[in-house]
């Protein structure tokens, strides 16, 4: 991909803009037809995608597409009825969910573009995406576990789909997803093999940090039947806050865990 990216960046601005428009138009049409994103989510994804292509090249957008497409495939084939009663995020990502999952990686690209730490910045970019895909895979595939997940803090059983719960199947799925993203990064950018470990570790630890936040500070509400949910309002009635900080929603947790993965990758890139 180095030669493709070199050709892309050496092309005229008009040609680059045309390529960006064509790629993102295709993504937008796919997302709309497959009902993966809301209208606001599509607009946000196009904006983020444009930034990623402009700075990170075609390699960068292919890594983002791996997250997007793999999440779409997993969500399609492993649907879990009843989980939406617990989780605030639904089948279609809105603009806040898109920004929460992608802004940390964009910060990494900005570090790459506007600071002397180019290698660390690219590593941050990859680790932010690795965390996002690891969190998605672990959440979706972890639901296939025959045993109930346990709280990452107390190790007591929690309902499937509740933030803060972890399982062996989910953790291994997240580790595999993070490793695959790391492989794409090293292959596309011809990075040092040491970054394979950095991105993999940062991605899975970021996903586990997501569970820690979900089990401690993320806001949860209690419905009238006593069950927990991330929805403040269900059936037109406002639920009582059961735990957590009101503004620490699932979107905020996704953003903070992605940022955690990026900061960890930045530190590890120097330590190793």
């Amino acid at each position: 991909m180095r030669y493709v990216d070199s050709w892309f960046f050496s092309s005229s601005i008009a040609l680059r803009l045309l390529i960006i428009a064509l790629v993102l138009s295709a993504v937008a049409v796919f997302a709309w037809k497959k009902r993966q994103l809301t209208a606001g989510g599509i607009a946000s994804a196009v904006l983020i995608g444009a930034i990623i292509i402009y700075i990170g090249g075609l390699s960068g957008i292919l890594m983002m597409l791996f997250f997007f497409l793999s999440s779409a495939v997993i969500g399609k084939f492993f649907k879990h009825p009843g989980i939406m009663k617990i989780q605030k995020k639904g089948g279609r990502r809105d603009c806040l969910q898109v920004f929460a999952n992608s802004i940390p990686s964009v910060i990494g690209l900005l570090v790459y573009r506007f600071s002397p730490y180019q290698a660390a910045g690219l590593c941050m970019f990859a680790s932010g995406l690795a965390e996002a895909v690891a969190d998605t895979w672990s959440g979706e595939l972890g639901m296939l576990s025959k045993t109930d997940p346990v709280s990452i803090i107390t190790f007591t059983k929690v309902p499937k789909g509740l933030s803060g719960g972890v399982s062996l199947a989910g953790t291994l799925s997240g580790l595999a997803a993070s490793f695959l993203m790391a492989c794409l990064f090293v292959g596309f950018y011809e990075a040092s093999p040491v970054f394979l470990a950095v991105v993999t570790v940062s991605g899975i630890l970021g996903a586990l940090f997501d569970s820690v936040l979900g089990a401690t500070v993320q806001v949860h509400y209690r419905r009238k039947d006593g069950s927990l949910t991330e929805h403040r309002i269900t059936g037109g009635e406002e639920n009582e806050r059961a735990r957590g900080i009101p503004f620490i929603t699932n979107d905020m947790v996704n953003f903070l865990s992605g940022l955690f993965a990026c900061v960890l990758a930045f530190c590890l890139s120097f330590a190793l």
Side-chain angles (χ1 to χ4, degrees), residues 137-255:
W137 283 36
S138 62
E140 296 287 350
L141 298 180
M143 297 296 298
L144 301 178
S145 176
K146 295 181 178 180
T147 59
D148 290 331
V150 298
S151 168
I152 196 171
I153 299 298
T154 64
F155 298 104
T156 56
K157 289 185 177 181
V158 297
K160 288 184 177 181
L162 188 67
S163 295
V166 295
S167 66
L168 179 60
T171 302
L172 291 178
S173 299
L175 179 61
S178 185
F179 175 73
L180 288 175
M181 185 64 78
C183 289
L184 291 179
F185 170 62
V186 171
F188 286 164
Y189 287 101
E190 299 183 5
S192 168
V194 72
F195 288 114
L196 186 69
V198 171
V199 174
T200 300
V201 170
S202 298
I204 188 59
L205 289 184
L208 291 174
F209 183 65
D210 183 287
S211 296
V212 171
L213 294 178
T216 55
V217 297
Q218 182 178 338
V219 63
H220 285 82
Y221 301 92
R222 193 175 302 280
R223 295 196 295 263
K224 287 189 176 182
D225 62 4
S227 60
L228 291 176
T229 177
E230 296 176 8
H231 297 271
R232 186 174 65 86
I233 298 176
T234 54
E237 296 185 356
E238 186 168 350
N239 298 313
E240 179 184 1
R241 181 165 65 90
R243 72 184 193 202
I245 302 173
F247 67 88
I248 305 295
T249 62
N250 181 263
D251 293 332
M252 179 60 74
V253 167
N254 286 340
F255 170 74

